[in-house]
Amino acid sequence: MKPTSPDAPTLPVAGLDGKDRPGDANVCSTRGELEKELLEFFVRAAQLAGQPKSLGEIYGLLYFSEDPLSMEEIVARLGISLGSASQGLRQLRAFKAVRAVAVPGQRKDYFVAEIKLRRVIAGFVQEEIKPHMESGLERLARLEELAGALDDVHLQQRVRRLARLHEISGQLLPLLMKLVRV
Amino acid sequence: MKPTSPDAPTLPVAGLDGKDRPGDANVCSTRGELEKELLEFFVRAAQLAGQPKSLGEIYGLLYFSEDPLSMEEIVARLGISLGSASQGLRQLRAFKAVRAVAVPGQRKDYFVAEIKLRRVIAGFVQEEIKPHMESGLERLARLEELAGALDDVHLQQRVRRLARLHEISGQLLPLLMKLVRV
DNA sequence: AAGTATTTTCATTTTTTCTTGAAAACAACC
DNA sequence: GGTTGTTTTCAAGAAAAAATGAAAATACTT
């Protein structure tokens, strides 16, 4: 499984005109169109998850690439900066959405996407959602204590009700994980 | 359940110095501290959900208020603009996180928070998550068709795999709703 | 219907977030 | 140990999102 050679770009992502001449097969343009839309799909998904656009682009590109890609190639195909690529890849590795593979005669790192989307979702939940929730629940516990010291019954009730959120999220996360079958 | 009279603000959110003189009970300052942190809790929750800060502040304020509050009061207590308040309240009403109540002798609208957080979550999922997912799944279906026309087996496989996402989300949403017991 | 109170809208400003690119850090090789 | 290829970091710039405030629209009252 050799890395894509630099002279054979298979995903001409940038520079599409979107036109589709009717009446002939025109596979190239259809393919380009498709690839553009696929990337856009991942960009939207990234943004729904509160992640930068570039992250979605990188993952999308790797998801559809037959071979591992170097950072250089990613930068070239997406037209993004080295900085974005480096940061995006780091984040994606944290989510276990991509991993680096070593290519024998090559000094560079090459990257491949985790194509099991369940795992990507699981990694994202683990790294992004869980910590937020946990710190939120800690904070809530402290607030409940604080409220206990006051003699405002109404406020106490509301804080207590709020603190019951941990019941929901205590169920939600395991359930999500189970659904996603880590 | 009269609306809070304008001369008796019970949530002095703005203008806290955070100092806590030790050695005396100092309930006021503790209370102020608590209220500030509670609002911050909701602000974080809002941001985790990809919503503007002001939205969290408004909901938080209403969540802890004993009485319905008018937009004017909300603006005054939070120190936000009328525009933010209007837009935030609209969004919150769309999520069914707040509702307007009519106060007899009063022309203004008064707002109360839905304190059943399950319902708020359900409303948010319904209004924000579901539409995004649905449009994404539609888009995927189209892409799968498009890919079928090409003779690139690898690309087809990946698109098909991606399209299986609908299995996950097809389960996820009902499950989430069930958990949240709408 | 005219006047007033209240809410909404929206162009502008402010704030936040993302991206860039070049310098620093690192790592492999000779 | 110095050289070169590669990656990371981070200050500055660009883009996107949110907040503002005043004008327009709406709704209530008399």
Side-chain angles (χ1 to χ4, degrees):
Chain A
M1 198 180 274
K2 68 168 201 328
T4 303
S5 56
D7 50 298
T10 54
L11 281 175
V13 164
L16 277 169
D17 57 15
K19 277 182 267 173
D20 219 357
R21 285 167 290 151
D24 76 48
N26 196 7
V27 172
C28 270
S29 171
T30 301
R31 186 194 170 82
E33 190 71 24
L34 177 62
E35 283 162 354
K36 206 177 59 176
E37 294 237 8
L38 283 167
L39 276 206
E40 203 183 311
F41 177 85
F42 281 106
V43 168
R44 287 191 182 219
Q47 286 178 331
L48 184 58
Q51 299 300 315
K53 192 183 155 197
S54 61
L55 200 121
E57 290 176 328
I58 297 169
Y59 180 74
L61 179 59
L62 290 172
Y63 186 87
F64 290 109
S65 173
E66 297 230 22
D67 316 294
L69 298 180
S70 71
M71 211 161 89
E72 205 183 0
E73 288 168 317
I74 292 169
V75 162
R77 291 210 192 155
L78 295 176
I80 64 179
S81 68
L82 263 183
S84 280
S86 174
Q87 290 182 185
L89 283 167
R90 177 217 303 221
Q91 187 75 306
L92 286 168
R93 268 177 298 187
F95 296 159
K96 301 213 198 303
V98 314
R99 64 178 200 283
V101 299
V103 169
Q106 289 283 343
R107 213 194 269 191
K108 300 178 192 175
D109 274 338
Y110 284 79
F111 298 94
V112 296
E114 167 63 66
I115 58 168
K116 289 179 184 154
L117 293 165
R118 293 170 180 282
R119 291 208 183 146
V120 176
I121 296 173
F124 173 73
V125 171
Q126 187 76 26
E127 294 297 316
E128 289 282 302
I129 310 292
K130 224 174 153 188
H132 277 252
M133 281 207 170
E134 279 167 0
S135 81
L137 291 176
E138 273 175 38
R139 176 178 292 257
L140 261 188
R142 255 184 294 126
L143 289 177
E144 204 175 1
E145 255 188 277
L146 253 179
L150 261 51
D151 60 352
D152 177 336
V153 179
H154 174 261
L155 187 56
Q156 274 177 28
Q157 281 180 340
R158 293 283 155 108
V159 175
R160 203 164 303 128
R161 179 179 271 276
L162 190 55
R164 274 193 237 127
L165 256 186
H166 86 110
E167 286 170 23
I168 291 187
S169 41
Q171 290 177 279
L172 181 58
L173 281 185
L175 213 123
L176 189 57
M177 291 314 222
K178 198 173 153 194
L179 180 63
V180 141
R181 289 205 291 266
V182 210
Chain B
M1 198 179 276
K2 67 167 202 327
T4 304
S5 55
D7 50 298
T10 54
L11 281 175
V13 163
L16 276 168
D17 58 15
K19 276 183 268 175
D20 219 354
R21 283 165 292 149
D24 77 47
N26 195 7
V27 173
C28 272
S29 172
T30 301
R31 184 192 171 84
E33 191 71 23
L34 177 64
E35 282 163 354
K36 206 176 58 172
E37 293 237 8
L38 283 167
L39 276 206
E40 202 183 312
F41 177 85
F42 281 106
V43 168
R44 288 189 181 222
Q47 285 176 331
L48 184 57
Q51 298 301 314
K53 192 183 155 197
S54 60
L55 200 120
E57 291 176 326
I58 297 169
Y59 180 74
L61 179 60
L62 290 173
Y63 187 88
F64 290 109
S65 173
E66 297 229 23
D67 316 293
L69 298 179
S70 70
M71 210 161 89
E72 204 183 1
E73 288 168 316
I74 292 169
V75 162
R77 292 210 193 156
L78 296 175
I80 64 179
S81 67
L82 263 183
S84 281
S86 174
Q87 291 182 183
L89 282 168
R90 176 212 307 213
Q91 187 75 305
L92 286 168
R93 268 177 298 185
F95 297 158
K96 302 214 197 302
V98 314
R99 64 179 200 283
V101 299
V103 169
Q106 290 284 343
R107 212 195 270 193
K108 300 178 192 177
D109 273 338
Y110 284 79
F111 298 94
V112 296
E114 166 63 66
I115 57 168
K116 289 178 185 157
L117 293 164
R118 294 170 180 283
R119 291 207 183 148
V120 176
I121 296 173
F124 173 73
V125 170
Q126 186 76 26
E127 294 297 315
E128 289 283 301
I129 310 291
K130 223 175 155 187
H132 277 253
M133 282 206 169
E134 278 168 0
S135 81
L137 292 177
E138 273 174 38
R139 175 179 292 256
L140 261 187
R142 257 184 293 126
L143 288 178
E144 205 176 359
E145 254 188 278
L146 253 179
L150 260 50
D151 59 355
D152 177 336
V153 178
H154 174 261
L155 187 57
Q156 275 177 27
Q157 280 179 340
R158 294 283 156 107
V159 175
R160 201 164 303 128
R161 181 179 269 277
L162 189 57
R164 273 193 238 126
L165 258 186
H166 86 110
E167 285 170 24
I168 292 186
S169 41
Q171 289 177 279
L172 181 58
L173 281 185
L175 213 123
L176 188 59
M177 290 317 225
K178 198 173 155 194
L179 179 64
V180 140
R181 291 204 292 266
V182 210

